[in-house]
Amino acid sequence: MMKPKIGMLHFETVEWIHEVEFYLDEFRVLEELIQRKEDHTNLAKQLHRDIAHTISIVLDQLSRDFIDKLVKHEKHLSNFIMSDTKTNADLYLERHQKLAKMLNQLKRQVRKLKKKVYRYLLEKKYQQRHGFPI
């Protein structure tokens, strides 16, 4: 693979980093809204704790796991572009494809969780449910 193609992978990776950083910002805002909605009934407290915990886990996974992988990948691509070596680019392409699949899964999970959070934030009355509150 030629360096211009690697350059496109690099550009795409930087875009992914910005996208995941935006997800982090969104979930921090949602976390703040959830804190404001805190209720004092037992059921509402449990629902609040469940959803707050889930968001905390997602934020942790996004920030530590996925962003770190993207940043490492971006650095590798950047180094490849700047180097004079004739390193085989197939490894970079393979990593990029794996990250693309992971990002697609992440997008689906983020959409699903955001829907649940929105429903929780809009809900006026709480009903007894088992497991996650939505």
PDB file of all heavy atoms in Angstrom, residues 51-62:
ATOM      1  N   ILE A  51     -28.502   3.590  36.295  1.00  0.00           N
ATOM      2  CA  ILE A  51     -28.183   4.302  35.059  1.00  0.00           C
ATOM      3  C   ILE A  51     -26.897   5.111  35.211  1.00  0.00           C
ATOM      4  O   ILE A  51     -26.089   5.192  34.293  1.00  0.00           O
ATOM      5  CB  ILE A  51     -29.369   5.151  34.567  1.00  0.00           C
ATOM      6  CG1 ILE A  51     -29.196   5.461  33.083  1.00  0.00           C
ATOM      7  CG2 ILE A  51     -29.547   6.407  35.361  1.00  0.00           C
ATOM      8  CD1 ILE A  51     -30.467   5.866  32.392  1.00  0.00           C
ATOM      9  N   ALA A  52     -26.680   5.698  36.373  1.00  0.00           N
ATOM     10  CA  ALA A  52     -25.447   6.447  36.614  1.00  0.00           C
ATOM     11  C   ALA A  52     -24.239   5.512  36.541  1.00  0.00           C
ATOM     12  O   ALA A  52     -23.203   5.861  35.965  1.00  0.00           O
ATOM     13  CB  ALA A  52     -25.507   7.157  37.961  1.00  0.00           C
ATOM     14  N   HIS A  53     -24.394   4.317  37.090  1.00  0.00           N
ATOM     15  CA  HIS A  53     -23.306   3.329  37.047  1.00  0.00           C
ATOM     16  C   HIS A  53     -23.016   2.897  35.602  1.00  0.00           C
ATOM     17  O   HIS A  53     -21.861   2.788  35.203  1.00  0.00           O
ATOM     18  CB  HIS A  53     -23.678   2.121  37.914  1.00  0.00           C
ATOM     19  CG  HIS A  53     -22.653   1.044  37.910  1.00  0.00           C
ATOM     20  ND1 HIS A  53     -21.441   1.165  38.538  1.00  0.00           N
ATOM     21  CD2 HIS A  53     -22.656  -0.182  37.321  1.00  0.00           C
ATOM     22  CE1 HIS A  53     -20.737   0.065  38.337  1.00  0.00           C
ATOM     23  NE2 HIS A  53     -21.455  -0.768  37.612  1.00  0.00           N
ATOM     24  N   THR A  54     -24.070   2.661  34.837  1.00  0.00           N
ATOM     25  CA  THR A  54     -23.893   2.253  33.440  1.00  0.00           C
ATOM     26  C   THR A  54     -23.167   3.334  32.646  1.00  0.00           C
ATOM     27  O   THR A  54     -22.252   3.039  31.878  1.00  0.00           O
ATOM     28  CB  THR A  54     -25.261   1.945  32.787  1.00  0.00           C
ATOM     29  OG1 THR A  54     -25.906   0.921  33.549  1.00  0.00           O
ATOM     30  CG2 THR A  54     -25.097   1.494  31.349  1.00  0.00           C
ATOM     31  N   ILE A  55     -23.540   4.574  32.847  1.00  0.00           N
ATOM     32  CA  ILE A  55     -22.877   5.668  32.131  1.00  0.00           C
ATOM     33  C   ILE A  55     -21.427   5.769  32.568  1.00  0.00           C
ATOM     34  O   ILE A  55     -20.537   5.990  31.749  1.00  0.00           O
ATOM     35  CB  ILE A  55     -23.626   6.999  32.344  1.00  0.00           C
ATOM     36  CG1 ILE A  55     -24.928   6.918  31.592  1.00  0.00           C
ATOM     37  CG2 ILE A  55     -22.788   8.179  31.920  1.00  0.00           C
ATOM     38  CD1 ILE A  55     -25.496   8.159  31.075  1.00  0.00           C
ATOM     39  N   SER A  56     -21.171   5.593  33.836  1.00  0.00           N
ATOM     40  CA  SER A  56     -19.800   5.638  34.339  1.00  0.00           C
ATOM     41  C   SER A  56     -18.936   4.562  33.672  1.00  0.00           C
ATOM     42  O   SER A  56     -17.795   4.821  33.279  1.00  0.00           O
ATOM     43  CB  SER A  56     -19.811   5.455  35.854  1.00  0.00           C
ATOM     44  OG  SER A  56     -18.517   5.373  36.355  1.00  0.00           O
ATOM     45  N   ILE A  57     -19.493   3.375  33.527  1.00  0.00           N
ATOM     46  CA  ILE A  57     -18.769   2.278  32.880  1.00  0.00           C
ATOM     47  C   ILE A  57     -18.488   2.622  31.416  1.00  0.00           C
ATOM     48  O   ILE A  57     -17.376   2.421  30.921  1.00  0.00           O
ATOM     49  CB  ILE A  57     -19.562   0.958  32.996  1.00  0.00           C
ATOM     50  CG1 ILE A  57     -19.538   0.457  34.435  1.00  0.00           C
ATOM     51  CG2 ILE A  57     -19.006  -0.104  32.048  1.00  0.00           C
ATOM     52  CD1 ILE A  57     -20.477  -0.703  34.693  1.00  0.00           C
ATOM     53  N   VAL A  58     -19.482   3.143  30.721  1.00  0.00           N
ATOM     54  CA  VAL A  58     -19.305   3.504  29.303  1.00  0.00           C
ATOM     55  C   VAL A  58     -18.247   4.582  29.156  1.00  0.00           C
ATOM     56  O   VAL A  58     -17.378   4.493  28.284  1.00  0.00           O
ATOM     57  CB  VAL A  58     -20.646   3.953  28.680  1.00  0.00           C
ATOM     58  CG1 VAL A  58     -20.437   4.588  27.329  1.00  0.00           C
ATOM     59  CG2 VAL A  58     -21.598   2.771  28.573  1.00  0.00           C
ATOM     60  N   LEU A  59     -18.295   5.591  30.002  1.00  0.00           N
ATOM     61  CA  LEU A  59     -17.284   6.653  29.943  1.00  0.00           C
ATOM     62  C   LEU A  59     -15.885   6.092  30.158  1.00  0.00           C
ATOM     63  O   LEU A  59     -14.938   6.460  29.462  1.00  0.00           O
ATOM     64  CB  LEU A  59     -17.574   7.729  30.992  1.00  0.00           C
ATOM     65  CG  LEU A  59     -18.673   8.713  30.672  1.00  0.00           C
ATOM     66  CD1 LEU A  59     -19.005   9.554  31.892  1.00  0.00           C
ATOM     67  CD2 LEU A  59     -18.273   9.602  29.513  1.00  0.00           C
ATOM     68  N   ASP A  60     -15.766   5.195  31.113  1.00  0.00           N
ATOM     69  CA  ASP A  60     -14.473   4.588  31.401  1.00  0.00           C
ATOM     70  C   ASP A  60     -13.973   3.774  30.214  1.00  0.00           C
ATOM     71  O   ASP A  60     -12.805   3.874  29.819  1.00  0.00           O
ATOM     72  CB  ASP A  60     -14.592   3.712  32.652  1.00  0.00           C
ATOM     73  CG  ASP A  60     -13.244   3.224  33.137  1.00  0.00           C
ATOM     74  OD1 ASP A  60     -12.352   4.072  33.326  1.00  0.00           O
ATOM     75  OD2 ASP A  60     -13.097   2.002  33.322  1.00  0.00           O
ATOM     76  N   GLN A  61     -14.853   2.974  29.618  1.00  0.00           N
ATOM     77  CA  GLN A  61     -14.465   2.163  28.466  1.00  0.00           C
ATOM     78  C   GLN A  61     -14.079   3.030  27.285  1.00  0.00           C
ATOM     79  O   GLN A  61     -13.088   2.751  26.601  1.00  0.00           O
ATOM     80  CB  GLN A  61     -15.585   1.216  28.064  1.00  0.00           C
ATOM     81  CG  GLN A  61     -15.790   0.084  29.030  1.00  0.00           C
ATOM     82  CD  GLN A  61     -17.003  -0.765  28.682  1.00  0.00           C
ATOM     83  OE1 GLN A  61     -17.883  -0.344  27.946  1.00  0.00           O
ATOM     84  NE2 GLN A  61     -17.053  -1.962  29.234  1.00  0.00           N
ATOM     85  N   LEU A  62     -14.860   4.065  27.041  1.00  0.00           N
ATOM     86  CA  LEU A  62     -14.559   4.957  25.919  1.00  0.00           C
ATOM     87  C   LEU A  62     -13.218   5.636  26.114  1.00  0.00           C
ATOM     88  O   LEU A  62     -12.386   5.670  25.212  1.00  0.00           O
ATOM     89  CB  LEU A  62     -15.647   6.019  25.772  1.00  0.00           C
ATOM     90  CG  LEU A  62     -16.959   5.610  25.141  1.00  0.00           C
ATOM     91  CD1 LEU A  62     -17.943   6.775  25.193  1.00  0.00           C
ATOM     92  CD2 LEU A  62     -16.765   5.174  23.709  1.00  0.00           C
TER      93      LEU A  62
END
